[in-house]
Amino acid sequence: MKQTKTYKFILSGGGTGGHIYPAVAIADELKLRYPDAEFLFVGASDRMEMDKVPQAGYKIEGLWISGIQRKLTLKNLAFPFKLMSSLWRSRKIIKSFKPDAVVGTGGFASGPLLQVATSNGIPSLIQEQNSFPGITNKLLSKKVNTICVAYDGLERFFPKAKIKLTGNPIRKDLLQVKDKRAEGQMAFKLNKEQQTLLVLGGSLGARRINQLIEANIDFFEAQNIQVIWQCGKLYYEQYSKYDTHKNVQVHAFLNQMDLAYAASDIIISRAGAISVSELCIVGKPVVFIPSPNVAEDHQTKNAKSIADKEAAILIREKDLEADFQKEFSALITDKTKREELSKNIEALALVNATRDIVDEVEKMLHK
């Protein structure tokens, strides 16, 4: 497609990796199609996107914004002031940058920016990763042009005419994971003769998964398993002491996620929407331990939709003590079971999601 002008794109979303990485993936695909385009990210000034987006090579502006706490707390008293501040700042950003299109990937940071963009008639798209949308996207859905989703049935929450089923955008570096095993083993200084367990609790960490790994360090050693453990930045100080164990390495965060996936033989993970989408692409045996503390228990629904297709193992937090060692031992000793899980989860991957979302952005540009 011929480029007739230099486009400008704003992408907004954040708070967790589940909102940041889809935005980066979309920006990367837009950059491939429009090499001369200008990009600006907008996030929350005190959250991880302020570090992660510049690491991906993009500029970012921060808003003074946070979500409303579900329980009564003094923090909620500041919310109206933060919202007014963020709307004012968003107006300045839109007026100065003059975007041709705006993309929101969820999280409270995207709310004010998309609100201002839609009020100014700027073509706007939101991407919803989960089977149960967050409040920000629910509110924005009435105003944006297009809503890209990863699950069926979201017409319960969004205007049906705007919905496009695309899947979740995945970082490009994950598409070649199969070719990177030797590189991954070298990067993490792994013993090629041992099987490797990769533990993921999300970008901030998962307390119950960390407790599980701590309780089973001797069990993994007895199974001759080496462990790459992403405990999350909130828990690193507590669990970094286990980094001294011969077959355990503890990380606050994994910047080379493609190499960690490539080096692993089995993965333990939460079941956030982006994690599930990535793990389908990666195609390794997975034990999902969904967080029970999320809206509508959507992580359990995400994990169950995979486990019901014989494509992963699901263990609920309440069943970990009774079931974990038994399930893990059966998996680590049964090569046929591991191969079956790998094949089945890979069959569920929507590898063209990022491309399909950017196709929708292009349609808005050329209307």
Coordinates of all heavy atoms in Angstrom, one line a residue, residues 246-311:
K246 N 21.7 -24.1 43.5 CA 22.4 -24.6 42.3 C 21.5 -24.6 41.1 O 21.8 -24.1 40.0 CB 23.0 -26.0 42.5 CG 23.8 -26.5 41.3 CD 24.2 -27.9 41.5 CE 24.8 -28.5 40.2 NZ 25.0 -29.9 40.3
N247 N 20.2 -25.1 41.2 CA 19.4 -25.3 40.0 C 18.2 -24.3 40.0 O 17.2 -24.5 39.3 CB 18.8 -26.7 40.0 CG 19.9 -27.7 39.6 OD1 20.7 -27.4 38.8 ND2 19.8 -28.9 40.2
V248 N 18.3 -23.2 40.7 CA 17.3 -22.2 40.8 C 17.8 -20.8 40.4 O 18.9 -20.4 41.0 CB 16.6 -22.1 42.2 CG1 15.5 -21.0 42.2 CG2 16.0 -23.4 42.6
Q249 N 17.2 -20.1 39.5 CA 17.6 -18.7 39.3 C 16.3 -17.8 39.4 O 15.3 -18.1 38.8 CB 18.2 -18.5 38.0 CG 17.6 -19.1 36.8 CD 18.5 -18.9 35.5 OE1 18.5 -17.8 34.9 NE2 19.2 -19.9 35.1
V250 N 16.4 -16.8 40.3 CA 15.3 -15.9 40.6 C 15.4 -14.6 39.9 O 16.5 -14.0 39.9 CB 15.2 -15.7 42.1 CG1 13.9 -14.9 42.4 CG2 15.2 -17.0 42.8
H251 N 14.4 -14.2 39.2 CA 14.4 -12.9 38.5 C 13.1 -12.1 38.9 O 12.1 -12.6 39.0 CB 14.3 -13.1 37.0 CG 15.4 -14.0 36.4 ND1 16.5 -13.4 35.8 CD2 15.5 -15.3 36.3 CE1 17.3 -14.4 35.4 NE2 16.7 -15.6 35.7
A252 N 13.4 -10.8 39.1 CA 12.2 -9.9 39.3 C 11.4 -9.8 38.1 O 10.1 -9.8 38.1 CB 12.7 -8.5 39.7
F253 N 12.0 -9.7 36.9 CA 11.3 -9.6 35.6 C 12.2 -10.2 34.6 O 13.5 -10.1 34.7 CB 11.0 -8.1 35.3 CG 10.1 -7.9 34.2 CD1 8.7 -8.0 34.4 CD2 10.6 -7.6 32.9 CE1 7.8 -7.8 33.3 CE2 9.7 -7.4 31.9 CZ 8.3 -7.5 32.1
L254 N 11.6 -10.8 33.5 CA 12.4 -11.4 32.4 C 12.3 -10.5 31.2 O 11.2 -10.4 30.6 CB 11.9 -12.8 32.1 CG 12.1 -13.8 33.2 CD1 11.3 -15.1 33.0 CD2 13.6 -14.2 33.3
N255 N 13.4 -9.8 30.9 CA 13.3 -8.9 29.7 C 13.5 -9.7 28.4 O 13.0 -9.3 27.4 CB 14.4 -7.9 29.8 CG 14.1 -6.8 30.8 OD1 13.0 -6.3 30.8 ND2 15.0 -6.4 31.7
Q256 N 14.1 -10.9 28.5 CA 14.3 -11.7 27.3 C 13.3 -12.9 27.4 O 13.6 -14.0 27.4 CB 15.7 -12.3 27.2 CG 16.7 -11.2 27.0 CD 18.2 -11.7 27.0 OE1 18.7 -12.3 28.0 NE2 18.8 -11.7 25.8
M257 N 12.0 -12.5 27.3 CA 10.9 -13.5 27.5 C 11.0 -14.6 26.4 O 10.7 -15.7 26.6 CB 9.6 -12.8 27.5 CG 8.4 -13.8 27.9 SD 8.7 -14.5 29.6 CE 8.0 -13.2 30.6
D258 N 11.3 -14.2 25.2 CA 11.4 -15.1 24.1 C 12.4 -16.2 24.3 O 12.2 -17.4 24.1 CB 11.7 -14.4 22.7 CG 13.0 -13.6 22.7 OD1 13.4 -13.1 23.8 OD2 13.6 -13.5 21.7
L259 N 13.6 -15.8 24.9 CA 14.6 -16.8 25.2 C 14.2 -17.7 26.4 O 14.6 -18.9 26.5 CB 15.9 -16.1 25.5 CG 16.5 -15.3 24.3 CD1 17.9 -14.7 24.6 CD2 16.6 -16.1 23.0
A260 N 13.5 -17.1 27.4 CA 13.0 -17.9 28.5 C 12.0 -19.0 28.0 O 12.1 -20.1 28.4 CB 12.4 -17.0 29.6
Y261 N 11.1 -18.6 27.2 CA 10.2 -19.5 26.6 C 10.9 -20.6 25.8 O 10.6 -21.8 25.9 CB 9.2 -18.8 25.7 CG 8.1 -18.1 26.3 CD1 7.7 -16.8 25.9 CD2 7.3 -18.6 27.4 CE1 6.6 -16.1 26.4 CE2 6.2 -18.0 27.9 CZ 5.9 -16.7 27.4 OH 4.8 -16.0 28.0
A262 N 11.9 -20.2 25.0 CA 12.6 -21.1 24.2 C 13.4 -22.1 25.0 O 13.5 -23.3 24.6 CB 13.6 -20.3 23.2
A263 N 13.9 -21.7 26.1 CA 14.8 -22.6 26.9 C 13.9 -23.6 27.8 O 14.5 -24.6 28.2 CB 15.7 -21.8 27.8
S264 N 12.7 -23.3 27.9 CA 11.9 -24.1 28.9 C 11.3 -25.4 28.3 O 11.1 -25.5 27.1 CB 10.7 -23.2 29.4 OG 9.8 -22.9 28.4
D265 N 11.1 -26.3 29.2 CA 10.4 -27.6 28.8 C 9.0 -27.6 29.3 O 8.1 -28.2 28.7 CB 11.2 -28.8 29.4 CG 12.6 -28.8 28.8 OD1 12.7 -29.2 27.6 OD2 13.6 -28.5 29.4
I266 N 8.8 -27.0 30.5 CA 7.4 -27.0 31.1 C 7.3 -25.5 31.7 O 8.2 -25.0 32.2 CB 7.3 -28.0 32.3 CG1 7.3 -29.4 31.7 CG2 6.0 -27.8 33.0 CD1 7.2 -30.5 32.7
I267 N 6.0 -25.0 31.7 CA 5.8 -23.7 32.1 C 4.7 -23.7 33.2 O 3.6 -24.3 32.9 CB 5.4 -22.7 31.0 CG1 6.6 -22.7 30.0 CG2 5.1 -21.3 31.5 CD1 6.2 -22.0 28.6
I268 N 4.9 -23.0 34.3 CA 3.8 -22.7 35.3 C 3.4 -21.3 35.1 O 4.3 -20.4 35.1 CB 4.3 -23.0 36.7 CG1 4.4 -24.5 36.9 CG2 3.3 -22.5 37.7 CD1 5.0 -24.9 38.3
S269 N 2.1 -21.0 35.0 CA 1.8 -19.6 34.7 C 0.4 -19.2 35.2 O -0.5 -20.1 35.4 CB 1.8 -19.3 33.2 OG 1.3 -18.0 32.8
R270 N 0.2 -17.9 35.5 CA -1.1 -17.4 35.7 C -1.9 -17.5 34.4 O -1.3 -17.9 33.3 CB -1.1 -15.9 36.1 CG -0.7 -15.7 37.6 CD -1.8 -16.3 38.5 NE -1.7 -15.7 39.9 CZ -2.2 -16.4 40.9 NH1 -2.7 -17.6 40.8 NH2 -2.2 -15.8 42.1
A271 N -3.1 -17.1 34.3 CA -3.9 -17.3 33.1 C -4.5 -16.0 32.6 O -5.7 -16.0 32.2 CB -5.0 -18.4 33.3
G272 N -3.8 -14.9 32.7 CA -4.2 -13.6 32.2 C -4.3 -13.8 30.6 O -3.6 -14.7 30.1
A273 N -5.1 -13.0 30.0 CA -5.4 -13.2 28.6 C -4.2 -13.2 27.7 O -4.0 -14.0 26.8 CB -6.4 -12.1 28.1
I274 N -3.2 -12.2 28.0 CA -2.1 -12.1 27.1 C -1.1 -13.3 27.3 O -0.6 -13.9 26.4 CB -1.3 -10.8 27.3 CG1 -2.2 -9.6 26.8 CG2 0.0 -10.7 26.6 CD1 -2.6 -9.7 25.4
S275 N -1.0 -13.7 28.6 CA -0.2 -14.9 28.9 C -0.7 -16.1 28.2 O 0.0 -16.9 27.6 CB -0.2 -15.2 30.4 OG 0.5 -14.1 31.1
V276 N -2.0 -16.3 28.2 CA -2.6 -17.5 27.5 C -2.4 -17.4 26.0 O -2.0 -18.4 25.4 CB -4.2 -17.5 27.8 CG1 -4.8 -18.6 26.9 CG2 -4.4 -17.8 29.3
S277 N -2.5 -16.2 25.4 CA -2.3 -16.1 24.0 C -0.8 -16.3 23.6 O -0.6 -17.0 22.6 CB -2.7 -14.6 23.5 OG -4.1 -14.4 23.7
E278 N 0.1 -15.8 24.4 CA 1.5 -16.1 24.2 C 1.8 -17.6 24.3 O 2.6 -18.1 23.5 CB 2.3 -15.3 25.2 CG 2.4 -13.8 24.9 CD 3.4 -13.1 25.8 OE1 4.0 -13.7 26.7 OE2 3.6 -11.9 25.6
L279 N 1.3 -18.2 25.3 CA 1.6 -19.6 25.5 C 1.0 -20.5 24.4 O 1.6 -21.6 24.1 CB 1.1 -20.1 26.9 CG 1.9 -19.4 28.1 CD1 1.2 -19.6 29.4 CD2 3.3 -20.0 28.2
C280 N -0.1 -20.1 23.8 CA -0.5 -20.9 22.6 C 0.5 -20.8 21.5 O 0.7 -21.8 20.8 CB -1.9 -20.3 22.2 SG -3.3 -20.7 23.3
I281 N 1.0 -19.6 21.3 CA 2.1 -19.4 20.2 C 3.3 -20.2 20.6 O 3.9 -20.9 19.7 CB 2.5 -17.9 20.1 CG1 1.2 -17.0 19.8 CG2 3.6 -17.7 19.2 CD1 0.9 -16.9 18.3
V282 N 3.7 -20.2 21.8 CA 5.0 -20.9 22.3 C 4.9 -22.4 22.1 O 5.8 -23.1 21.8 CB 5.3 -20.4 23.7 CG1 6.4 -21.3 24.3 CG2 5.7 -18.9 23.7
G283 N 3.7 -22.9 22.5 CA 3.5 -24.3 22.3 C 4.2 -25.3 23.2 O 4.7 -26.3 22.8
K284 N 4.4 -24.9 24.5 CA 5.0 -25.8 25.5 C 4.0 -26.3 26.4 O 2.9 -25.7 26.6 CB 6.1 -25.0 26.2 CG 7.2 -24.4 25.4 CD 8.2 -25.5 25.0 CE 9.3 -25.0 24.1 NZ 10.5 -24.4 24.8
P285 N 4.3 -27.4 27.1 CA 3.3 -27.9 28.1 C 3.2 -26.9 29.3 O 4.2 -26.4 29.8 CB 4.0 -29.2 28.7 CG 5.0 -29.6 27.7 CD 5.5 -28.3 27.0
V286 N 1.9 -26.6 29.6 CA 1.7 -25.5 30.6 C 0.8 -26.0 31.7 O -0.2 -26.8 31.5 CB 0.9 -24.3 29.9 CG1 0.6 -23.2 31.0 CG2 1.7 -23.8 28.8
V287 N 1.2 -25.6 33.0 CA 0.3 -25.8 34.1 C -0.2 -24.4 34.5 O 0.5 -23.5 34.9 CB 1.1 -26.4 35.3 CG1 0.1 -26.5 36.5 CG2 1.7 -27.7 35.0
F288 N -1.5 -24.2 34.3 CA -2.1 -22.9 34.6 C -2.6 -22.9 36.1 O -3.3 -23.9 36.5 CB -3.4 -22.6 33.8 CG -3.0 -22.1 32.4 CD1 -3.5 -22.9 31.3 CD2 -2.3 -21.0 32.2 CE1 -3.2 -22.4 30.0 CE2 -2.0 -20.5 30.9 CZ -2.4 -21.3 29.8
I289 N -2.2 -21.9 36.8 CA -2.7 -21.6 38.2 C -3.4 -20.3 38.2 O -2.7 -19.2 38.4 CB -1.6 -21.7 39.2 CG1 -0.8 -23.0 39.1 CG2 -2.1 -21.5 40.6 CD1 0.4 -23.1 40.0
P290 N -4.6 -20.2 37.8 CA -5.3 -18.9 37.6 C -5.5 -18.1 38.9 O -5.6 -18.7 40.0 CB -6.6 -19.2 37.0 CG -6.9 -20.7 37.3 CD -5.5 -21.3 37.5
S291 N -5.4 -16.8 38.8 CA -5.7 -16.0 40.0 C -7.2 -16.0 40.2 O -8.0 -15.7 39.3 CB -5.2 -14.5 39.8 OG -5.7 -13.7 40.8
P292 N -7.6 -16.3 41.5 CA -9.0 -16.2 41.8 C -9.5 -14.8 42.1 O -10.7 -14.6 42.4 CB -9.2 -17.2 43.0 CG -7.8 -17.0 43.7 CD -6.8 -16.7 42.6
N293 N -8.6 -13.9 42.2 CA -8.9 -12.5 42.7 C -9.1 -11.5 41.6 O -8.6 -10.4 41.7 CB -7.8 -12.1 43.6 CG -7.4 -13.1 44.7 OD1 -8.3 -13.6 45.3 ND2 -6.2 -13.4 44.8
V294 N -9.7 -11.9 40.5 CA -9.9 -11.0 39.3 C -11.4 -10.9 39.0 O -12.1 -11.9 39.3 CB -9.1 -11.4 38.1 CG1 -7.6 -11.2 38.3 CG2 -9.4 -12.8 37.7
A295 N -11.8 -9.9 38.3 CA -13.2 -9.7 37.9 C -13.8 -10.9 37.3 O -13.2 -11.5 36.3 CB -13.4 -8.5 37.0
E296 N -15.0 -11.4 37.8 CA -15.7 -12.5 37.2 C -14.9 -13.8 37.1 O -15.2 -14.7 36.3 CB -16.2 -12.1 35.8 CG -17.2 -11.0 35.8 CD -18.5 -11.3 36.4 OE1 -19.2 -12.3 35.9 OE2 -18.9 -10.7 37.4
D297 N -13.8 -13.9 37.9 CA -12.9 -15.1 37.9 C -12.5 -15.4 36.4 O -12.4 -16.6 36.0 CB -13.7 -16.3 38.5 CG -12.7 -17.4 38.9 OD1 -11.5 -17.1 39.1 OD2 -13.1 -18.5 39.1
H298 N -12.2 -14.4 35.6 CA -11.9 -14.6 34.2 C -10.7 -15.4 33.9 O -10.6 -16.0 32.9 CB -12.0 -13.3 33.4 CG -10.8 -12.4 33.6 ND1 -11.0 -11.2 34.3 CD2 -9.5 -12.4 33.3 CE1 -9.8 -10.6 34.4 NE2 -8.9 -11.3 33.8
Q299 N -9.7 -15.4 34.9 CA -8.5 -16.2 34.6 C -8.8 -17.7 34.6 O -8.3 -18.4 33.8 CB -7.4 -15.9 35.6 CG -6.7 -14.6 35.3 CD -5.2 -14.6 35.9 OE1 -4.7 -15.6 36.4 NE2 -4.6 -13.4 35.8
T300 N -9.7 -18.1 35.6 CA -10.1 -19.5 35.6 C -10.8 -19.9 34.3 O -10.6 -21.0 33.7 CB -11.0 -19.8 36.8 OG1 -10.2 -19.4 38.0 CG2 -11.4 -21.2 36.9
K301 N -11.7 -19.0 33.8 CA -12.4 -19.2 32.6 C -11.4 -19.3 31.4 O -11.5 -20.2 30.5 CB -13.4 -18.1 32.3 CG -14.6 -18.1 33.3 CD -15.5 -16.9 33.1 CE -16.5 -16.9 34.2 NZ -17.2 -15.6 34.3
N302 N -10.4 -18.4 31.4 CA -9.4 -18.5 30.3 C -8.7 -19.9 30.3 O -8.5 -20.5 29.3 CB -8.3 -17.4 30.5 CG -8.8 -16.0 30.3 OD1 -9.9 -15.8 29.8 ND2 -8.0 -15.0 30.7
A303 N -8.2 -20.2 31.5 CA -7.5 -21.5 31.7 C -8.3 -22.7 31.4 O -7.9 -23.7 30.7 CB -6.9 -21.6 33.1
K304 N -9.6 -22.7 31.8 CA -10.5 -23.8 31.6 C -10.8 -24.0 30.1 O -10.9 -25.1 29.6 CB -11.8 -23.6 32.4 CG -12.7 -24.8 32.4 CD -13.9 -24.6 33.3 CE -14.7 -25.9 33.5 NZ -15.2 -26.4 32.2
S305 N -10.9 -22.9 29.3 CA -11.1 -23.0 27.9 C -10.0 -23.7 27.2 O -10.2 -24.4 26.2 CB -11.3 -21.6 27.3 OG -10.1 -20.9 27.2
I306 N -8.8 -23.6 27.8 CA -7.6 -24.4 27.2 C -7.5 -25.8 27.7 O -7.4 -26.7 26.9 CB -6.3 -23.6 27.5 CG1 -6.3 -22.1 27.1 CG2 -5.1 -24.3 26.9 CD1 -6.4 -21.9 25.7
A307 N -7.7 -25.9 29.0 CA -7.6 -27.3 29.6 C -8.7 -28.2 29.1 O -8.5 -29.4 28.9 CB -7.7 -27.2 31.2
D308 N -9.9 -27.7 28.8 CA -11.0 -28.5 28.3 C -10.7 -29.1 26.9 O -11.3 -30.0 26.5 CB -12.3 -27.6 28.2 CG -12.9 -27.4 29.6 OD1 -12.5 -28.0 30.5 OD2 -13.9 -26.5 29.6
K309 N -9.7 -28.5 26.2 CA -9.3 -29.0 24.9 C -8.1 -29.9 25.0 O -7.4 -30.1 24.0 CB -9.1 -27.8 24.0 CG -10.3 -27.0 23.7 CD -10.0 -25.8 22.8 CE -11.3 -25.0 22.4 NZ -11.8 -24.2 23.5
E310 N -7.8 -30.4 26.2 CA -6.6 -31.2 26.5 C -5.3 -30.5 26.0 O -4.4 -31.1 25.5 CB -6.7 -32.6 25.7 CG -8.0 -33.4 26.1 CD -8.0 -33.9 27.5 OE1 -6.9 -34.3 28.0 OE2 -9.0 -33.9 28.2
A311 N -5.3 -29.2 26.3 CA -4.2 -28.4 25.8 C -3.3 -27.8 26.9 O -2.4 -27.1 26.7 CB -4.7 -27.3 24.8

